[in-house]
Short mmCIF file of all heavy atoms in Angstrom, two decimals:
data_model
loop_
_atom_site.label_atom_id
_atom_site.label_comp_id
_atom_site.label_asym_id
_atom_site.label_seq_id
_atom_site.Cartn_x
_atom_site.Cartn_y
_atom_site.Cartn_z
N PRO J 1 -7.99 33.37 165.14
CA PRO J 1 -7.11 32.48 164.36
C PRO J 1 -7.62 31.03 164.30
O PRO J 1 -7.41 30.34 163.31
CB PRO J 1 -5.77 32.57 165.09
CG PRO J 1 -5.83 33.87 165.85
CD PRO J 1 -7.26 34.07 166.22
N THR J 2 -8.28 30.60 165.36
CA THR J 2 -8.81 29.22 165.37
C THR J 2 -9.89 29.06 164.30
O THR J 2 -9.93 28.04 163.58
CB THR J 2 -9.40 28.88 166.75
OG1 THR J 2 -8.37 29.02 167.74
CG2 THR J 2 -9.94 27.45 166.78
N LEU J 3 -10.76 30.04 164.18
CA LEU J 3 -11.80 30.00 163.16
C LEU J 3 -11.17 30.00 161.78
O LEU J 3 -11.61 29.26 160.88
CB LEU J 3 -12.73 31.21 163.32
CG LEU J 3 -13.87 31.31 162.30
CD1 LEU J 3 -14.84 30.13 162.47
CD2 LEU J 3 -14.60 32.64 162.45
N LYS J 4 -10.11 30.80 161.60
CA LYS J 4 -9.42 30.85 160.31
C LYS J 4 -8.84 29.48 159.95
O LYS J 4 -8.96 29.01 158.81
CB LYS J 4 -8.30 31.90 160.36
CG LYS J 4 -7.53 32.09 159.05
CD LYS J 4 -6.52 33.24 159.22
CE LYS J 4 -5.81 33.54 157.90
NZ LYS J 4 -4.95 32.40 157.48
N ALA J 5 -8.28 28.81 160.95
CA ALA J 5 -7.70 27.48 160.72
C ALA J 5 -8.80 26.46 160.38
O ALA J 5 -8.60 25.59 159.52
CB ALA J 5 -6.92 27.03 161.96
N GLN J 6 -9.94 26.57 161.02
CA GLN J 6 -11.06 25.66 160.73
C GLN J 6 -11.55 25.84 159.29
O GLN J 6 -11.85 24.87 158.60
CB GLN J 6 -12.21 25.90 161.71
CG GLN J 6 -11.90 25.47 163.14
CD GLN J 6 -13.01 25.88 164.10
OE1 GLN J 6 -13.90 26.68 163.76
NE2 GLN J 6 -12.95 25.37 165.32
N PHE J 7 -11.61 27.10 158.86
CA PHE J 7 -12.04 27.38 157.50
C PHE J 7 -11.07 26.79 156.49
O PHE J 7 -11.47 26.13 155.51
CB PHE J 7 -12.16 28.90 157.32
CG PHE J 7 -12.49 29.32 155.92
CD1 PHE J 7 -13.71 29.02 155.34
CD2 PHE J 7 -11.56 30.06 155.18
CE1 PHE J 7 -14.01 29.43 154.05
CE2 PHE J 7 -11.85 30.46 153.88
CZ PHE J 7 -13.08 30.14 153.32
N GLU J 8 -9.80 27.00 156.72
CA GLU J 8 -8.79 26.50 155.78
C GLU J 8 -8.77 24.98 155.75
O GLU J 8 -8.57 24.37 154.69
CB GLU J 8 -7.42 27.06 156.17
CG GLU J 8 -7.32 28.58 155.94
CD GLU J 8 -6.05 29.18 156.52
OE1 GLU J 8 -5.38 28.48 157.32
OE2 GLU J 8 -5.75 30.35 156.20
N GLN J 9 -9.00 24.34 156.89
CA GLN J 9 -9.03 22.87 156.94
C GLN J 9 -10.23 22.34 156.16
O GLN J 9 -10.14 21.33 155.46
CB GLN J 9 -9.08 22.39 158.39
CG GLN J 9 -8.92 20.89 158.54
CD GLN J 9 -7.55 20.42 158.09
OE1 GLN J 9 -6.51 21.03 158.41
NE2 GLN J 9 -7.51 19.34 157.31
N LYS J 10 -11.37 23.04 156.30
CA LYS J 10 -12.58 22.59 155.59
C LYS J 10 -12.39 22.73 154.08
O LYS J 10 -12.89 21.89 153.31
CB LYS J 10 -13.79 23.39 156.06
CG LYS J 10 -15.14 22.84 155.54
CD LYS J 10 -16.31 23.47 156.25
CE LYS J 10 -17.64 22.92 155.74
NZ LYS J 10 -17.77 21.45 155.99
N LEU J 11 -11.68 23.74 153.65
CA LEU J 11 -11.39 23.88 152.23
C LEU J 11 -10.60 22.69 151.71
O LEU J 11 -10.80 22.23 150.57
CB LEU J 11 -10.60 25.17 151.97
CG LEU J 11 -11.34 26.49 152.18
CD1 LEU J 11 -10.37 27.67 152.01
CD2 LEU J 11 -12.50 26.62 151.21
N LYS J 12 -9.69 22.15 152.53
CA LYS J 12 -8.89 21.00 152.13
C LYS J 12 -9.71 19.70 152.16
O LYS J 12 -9.56 18.84 151.30
CB LYS J 12 -7.68 20.86 153.05
CG LYS J 12 -6.69 22.01 152.96
CD LYS J 12 -5.56 21.83 153.97
CE LYS J 12 -4.59 22.99 153.94
NZ LYS J 12 -3.52 22.84 154.98
N ASP J 13 -10.59 19.59 153.18
CA ASP J 13 -11.28 18.32 153.41
C ASP J 13 -12.56 18.15 152.60
O ASP J 13 -13.02 17.02 152.40
CB ASP J 13 -11.64 18.18 154.90
CG ASP J 13 -10.41 18.11 155.78
OD1 ASP J 13 -9.32 17.83 155.26
OD2 ASP J 13 -10.54 18.35 157.01
N ASP J 14 -13.14 19.24 152.15
CA ASP J 14 -14.47 19.18 151.53
C ASP J 14 -14.43 19.85 150.16
O ASP J 14 -14.63 21.07 150.04
CB ASP J 14 -15.48 19.87 152.45
CG ASP J 14 -16.92 19.67 152.00
OD1 ASP J 14 -17.13 19.32 150.83
OD2 ASP J 14 -17.85 19.88 152.83
N PRO J 15 -14.17 19.12 149.09
CA PRO J 15 -14.05 19.72 147.74
C PRO J 15 -15.33 20.45 147.32
O PRO J 15 -15.25 21.50 146.66
CB PRO J 15 -13.78 18.51 146.84
CG PRO J 15 -13.21 17.47 147.75
CD PRO J 15 -13.86 17.67 149.07
N ALA J 16 -16.50 19.89 147.67
CA ALA J 16 -17.75 20.55 147.28
C ALA J 16 -17.87 21.91 147.96
O ALA J 16 -18.31 22.89 147.34
CB ALA J 16 -18.95 19.66 147.64
N PHE J 17 -17.49 21.96 149.21
CA PHE J 17 -17.50 23.22 149.95
C PHE J 17 -16.54 24.21 149.31
O PHE J 17 -16.86 25.40 149.13
CB PHE J 17 -17.13 22.96 151.41
CG PHE J 17 -16.95 24.20 152.23
CD1 PHE J 17 -18.04 24.88 152.73
CD2 PHE J 17 -15.67 24.68 152.51
CE1 PHE J 17 -17.88 26.03 153.51
CE2 PHE J 17 -15.50 25.82 153.29
CZ PHE J 17 -16.60 26.50 153.79
N ALA J 18 -15.38 23.73 148.96
CA ALA J 18 -14.36 24.61 148.40
C ALA J 18 -14.81 25.24 147.08
O ALA J 18 -14.42 26.37 146.75
CB ALA J 18 -13.06 23.83 148.20
N LYS J 19 -15.66 24.53 146.33
CA LYS J 19 -16.12 25.04 145.03
C LYS J 19 -17.35 25.93 145.14
O LYS J 19 -17.77 26.52 144.14
CB LYS J 19 -16.44 23.85 144.11
CG LYS J 19 -15.24 23.02 143.73
CD LYS J 19 -15.65 21.84 142.85
CE LYS J 19 -14.46 20.97 142.48
NZ LYS J 19 -14.88 19.81 141.67
N ASP J 20 -17.94 26.03 146.33
CA ASP J 20 -19.22 26.72 146.51
C ASP J 20 -18.97 28.07 147.20
O ASP J 20 -18.75 28.14 148.40
CB ASP J 20 -20.16 25.85 147.35
CG ASP J 20 -21.58 26.40 147.40
OD1 ASP J 20 -21.75 27.62 147.23
OD2 ASP J 20 -22.50 25.61 147.66
N SER J 21 -19.02 29.14 146.43
CA SER J 21 -18.72 30.46 146.99
C SER J 21 -19.72 30.85 148.06
O SER J 21 -19.36 31.48 149.08
CB SER J 21 -18.68 31.51 145.88
OG SER J 21 -19.94 31.56 145.21
N ASN J 22 -21.01 30.51 147.86
CA ASN J 22 -22.02 30.84 148.86
C ASN J 22 -21.79 30.08 150.17
O ASN J 22 -21.94 30.64 151.26
CB ASN J 22 -23.42 30.53 148.34
CG ASN J 22 -23.85 31.50 147.25
OD1 ASN J 22 -23.47 32.67 147.27
ND2 ASN J 22 -24.64 31.02 146.30
N ALA J 23 -21.41 28.81 150.06
CA ALA J 23 -21.14 28.03 151.26
C ALA J 23 -19.94 28.58 152.01
O ALA J 23 -19.93 28.60 153.25
CB ALA J 23 -20.91 26.57 150.88
N ARG J 24 -18.96 29.05 151.28
CA ARG J 24 -17.77 29.59 151.94
C ARG J 24 -18.11 30.85 152.74
O ARG J 24 -17.65 31.04 153.86
CB ARG J 24 -16.69 29.87 150.89
CG ARG J 24 -16.13 28.60 150.31
CD ARG J 24 -15.27 28.83 149.09
NE ARG J 24 -14.00 29.49 149.39
CZ ARG J 24 -12.87 29.24 148.74
NH1 ARG J 24 -12.84 28.33 147.77
NH2 ARG J 24 -11.76 29.89 149.07
N LEU J 25 -18.96 31.71 152.17
CA LEU J 25 -19.37 32.91 152.90
C LEU J 25 -20.31 32.56 154.06
O LEU J 25 -20.25 33.16 155.13
CB LEU J 25 -20.03 33.88 151.95
CG LEU J 25 -19.12 34.54 150.91
CD1 LEU J 25 -19.94 35.39 149.94
CD2 LEU J 25 -18.04 35.40 151.59
N SER J 26 -21.20 31.55 153.83
CA SER J 26 -22.13 31.15 154.88
C SER J 26 -21.41 30.57 156.08
O SER J 26 -21.91 30.63 157.22
CB SER J 26 -23.12 30.11 154.33
OG SER J 26 -23.97 30.70 153.37
N PHE J 27 -20.23 29.98 155.87
CA PHE J 27 -19.44 29.46 156.97
C PHE J 27 -19.24 30.53 158.03
O PHE J 27 -19.32 30.26 159.24
CB PHE J 27 -18.09 28.98 156.42
CG PHE J 27 -17.14 28.46 157.46
CD1 PHE J 27 -17.14 27.12 157.81
CD2 PHE J 27 -16.25 29.32 158.10
CE1 PHE J 27 -16.25 26.64 158.77
CE2 PHE J 27 -15.37 28.85 159.06
CZ PHE J 27 -15.37 27.50 159.40
N PHE J 28 -19.01 31.74 157.62
CA PHE J 28 -18.77 32.83 158.58
C PHE J 28 -20.08 33.43 159.06
O PHE J 28 -20.25 33.70 160.26
CB PHE J 28 -17.87 33.89 157.94
CG PHE J 28 -16.52 33.35 157.58
CD1 PHE J 28 -16.25 32.93 156.28
CD2 PHE J 28 -15.53 33.23 158.55
CE1 PHE J 28 -15.01 32.42 155.95
CE2 PHE J 28 -14.28 32.72 158.23
CZ PHE J 28 -14.02 32.30 156.93
N TYR J 29 -21.02 33.64 158.15
CA TYR J 29 -22.30 34.25 158.53
C TYR J 29 -23.01 33.42 159.60
O TYR J 29 -23.56 33.95 160.56
CB TYR J 29 -23.17 34.40 157.29
CG TYR J 29 -24.52 35.05 157.56
CD1 TYR J 29 -24.60 36.34 158.09
CD2 TYR J 29 -25.70 34.38 157.27
CE1 TYR J 29 -25.83 36.94 158.32
CE2 TYR J 29 -26.93 34.97 157.50
CZ TYR J 29 -27.00 36.25 158.04
OH TYR J 29 -28.21 36.85 158.27
N GLN J 30 -22.97 32.07 159.43
CA GLN J 30 -23.68 31.21 160.38
C GLN J 30 -23.01 31.14 161.75
O GLN J 30 -23.58 30.60 162.69
CB GLN J 30 -23.84 29.81 159.78
CG GLN J 30 -24.81 29.78 158.62
CD GLN J 30 -24.89 28.42 157.95
OE1 GLN J 30 -24.22 27.47 158.35
NE2 GLN J 30 -25.70 28.32 156.90
N ARG J 31 -21.83 31.69 161.86
CA ARG J 31 -21.14 31.74 163.14
C ARG J 31 -21.15 33.14 163.72
O ARG J 31 -20.49 33.41 164.72
CB ARG J 31 -19.69 31.24 162.99
CG ARG J 31 -19.61 29.74 162.76
CD ARG J 31 -18.29 29.31 162.15
NE ARG J 31 -18.17 27.86 162.05
CZ ARG J 31 -18.76 27.11 161.12
NH1 ARG J 31 -19.50 27.71 160.19
NH2 ARG J 31 -18.61 25.81 161.11
N SER J 32 -21.94 34.00 163.11
CA SER J 32 -22.00 35.40 163.56
C SER J 32 -23.30 35.65 164.30
O SER J 32 -24.28 34.92 164.15
CB SER J 32 -21.92 36.33 162.34
OG SER J 32 -23.17 36.34 161.65
N PRO J 33 -23.37 36.69 165.12
CA PRO J 33 -24.62 37.00 165.84
C PRO J 33 -25.77 37.36 164.91
O PRO J 33 -26.93 37.25 165.29
CB PRO J 33 -24.23 38.16 166.75
CG PRO J 33 -22.99 38.74 166.16
CD PRO J 33 -22.27 37.60 165.51
N TRP J 34 -25.46 37.80 163.67
CA TRP J 34 -26.54 38.14 162.73
C TRP J 34 -27.35 36.90 162.33
O TRP J 34 -28.51 37.01 161.96
CB TRP J 34 -25.96 38.81 161.47
CG TRP J 34 -25.57 40.24 161.72
CD1 TRP J 34 -26.38 41.34 161.67
CD2 TRP J 34 -24.28 40.70 162.09
NE1 TRP J 34 -25.66 42.47 161.97
CE2 TRP J 34 -24.36 42.11 162.24
CE3 TRP J 34 -23.04 40.09 162.32
CZ2 TRP J 34 -23.28 42.91 162.60
CZ3 TRP J 34 -21.96 40.87 162.67
CH2 TRP J 34 -22.09 42.27 162.82
N TYR J 35 -26.69 35.75 162.41
CA TYR J 35 -27.40 34.50 162.10
C TYR J 35 -27.95 33.84 163.36
O TYR J 35 -29.11 33.41 163.39
CB TYR J 35 -26.46 33.54 161.37
CG TYR J 35 -27.11 32.22 160.99
CD1 TYR J 35 -27.83 32.10 159.81
CD2 TYR J 35 -27.00 31.09 161.81
CE1 TYR J 35 -28.44 30.89 159.45
CE2 TYR J 35 -27.58 29.89 161.47
CZ TYR J 35 -28.30 29.79 160.29
OH TYR J 35 -28.89 28.60 159.95
N THR J 36 -27.14 33.74 164.40
CA THR J 36 -27.55 32.97 165.58
C THR J 36 -28.75 33.58 166.28
O THR J 36 -29.55 32.86 166.89
CB THR J 36 -26.38 32.84 166.57
OG1 THR J 36 -25.90 34.14 166.92
CG2 THR J 36 -25.24 32.02 165.95
N THR J 37 -28.94 34.89 166.17
CA THR J 37 -30.11 35.50 166.81
C THR J 37 -31.41 35.13 166.09
O THR J 37 -32.49 35.30 166.64
CB THR J 37 -29.98 37.03 166.84
OG1 THR J 37 -29.73 37.52 165.52
CG2 THR J 37 -28.87 37.46 167.78
N GLN J 38 -31.31 34.59 164.87
CA GLN J 38 -32.52 34.12 164.17
C GLN J 38 -33.03 32.80 164.73
O GLN J 38 -34.16 32.40 164.45
CB GLN J 38 -32.23 33.96 162.67
CG GLN J 38 -31.90 35.26 161.95
CD GLN J 38 -31.79 35.05 160.46
OE1 GLN J 38 -32.66 34.46 159.83
NE2 GLN J 38 -30.69 35.56 159.88
N GLU J 39 -32.18 32.12 165.49
CA GLU J 39 -32.55 30.85 166.13
C GLU J 39 -33.05 29.81 165.12
O GLU J 39 -34.04 29.11 165.35
CB GLU J 39 -33.59 31.07 167.23
CG GLU J 39 -33.08 31.94 168.37
CD GLU J 39 -34.03 32.00 169.55
OE1 GLU J 39 -35.26 31.95 169.32
OE2 GLU J 39 -33.55 32.07 170.68
N VAL J 40 -32.38 29.73 163.98
CA VAL J 40 -32.73 28.71 162.99
C VAL J 40 -32.50 27.33 163.60
O VAL J 40 -31.43 27.04 164.12
CB VAL J 40 -31.89 28.89 161.71
CG1 VAL J 40 -32.19 27.77 160.72
CG2 VAL J 40 -32.16 30.24 161.08
N GLY J 41 -33.53 26.50 163.56
CA GLY J 41 -33.43 25.15 164.11
C GLY J 41 -33.71 25.04 165.59
O GLY J 41 -33.59 23.94 166.15
N ALA J 42 -34.10 26.14 166.21
CA ALA J 42 -34.44 26.09 167.64
C ALA J 42 -35.82 25.45 167.81
O ALA J 42 -36.82 25.99 167.33
CB ALA J 42 -34.42 27.49 168.24
N TYR J 43 -35.87 24.32 168.46
CA TYR J 43 -37.14 23.60 168.64
C TYR J 43 -38.01 24.37 169.62
O TYR J 43 -37.57 24.70 170.72
CB TYR J 43 -36.85 22.19 169.14
CG TYR J 43 -38.05 21.29 169.16
CD1 TYR J 43 -38.75 21.00 167.99
CD2 TYR J 43 -38.50 20.72 170.35
CE1 TYR J 43 -39.85 20.17 168.00
CE2 TYR J 43 -39.59 19.87 170.36
CZ TYR J 43 -40.27 19.60 169.19
OH TYR J 43 -41.37 18.78 169.20
N PRO J 44 -39.25 24.69 169.27
CA PRO J 44 -40.03 25.62 170.08
C PRO J 44 -40.63 25.03 171.35
O PRO J 44 -41.06 25.77 172.23
CB PRO J 44 -41.15 26.07 169.13
CG PRO J 44 -41.30 24.93 168.17
CD PRO J 44 -39.94 24.37 167.99
N VAL J 45 -40.67 23.69 171.44
CA VAL J 45 -41.29 23.07 172.62
C VAL J 45 -40.25 22.96 173.72
O VAL J 45 -39.12 22.51 173.49
CB VAL J 45 -41.83 21.67 172.26
CG1 VAL J 45 -42.41 20.98 173.50
CG2 VAL J 45 -42.87 21.77 171.15
N LEU J 46 -40.64 23.36 174.92
CA LEU J 46 -39.73 23.35 176.06
C LEU J 46 -40.07 22.19 177.00
O LEU J 46 -41.22 21.75 177.08
CB LEU J 46 -39.83 24.66 176.84
CG LEU J 46 -39.58 25.95 176.04
CD1 LEU J 46 -39.77 27.16 176.93
CD2 LEU J 46 -38.19 25.94 175.43
#
């Protein structure tokens, strides 16, 4: 439910996001293990 509330709040606060169907779906995909396991943005130097 917290994630659902965050999504609904972003729809209210961000008109560009609200109009972008791909961004709306990416909101959930980027919070799923199918995305996070890709390690997008993980800096390779330790």
Side-chain angles (χ1 to χ4, degrees):
T2 301
L3 179 65
K4 183 176 185 294
Q6 291 173 348
F7 175 67
E8 292 171 346
Q9 188 64 44
K10 189 168 180 63
L11 291 175
K12 295 177 182 177
D13 296 342
D14 189 341
F17 173 79
K19 294 178 181 178
D20 189 334
S21 60
N22 289 328
R24 291 169 70 146
L25 291 174
S26 293
F27 178 91
F28 297 97
Y29 181 60
Q30 290 175 0
R31 289 160 175 78
S32 76
W34 283 275
Y35 181 85
T36 56
T37 54
Q38 295 187 50
E39 297 188 327
V40 176
Y43 189 60
V45 178
L46 304 177

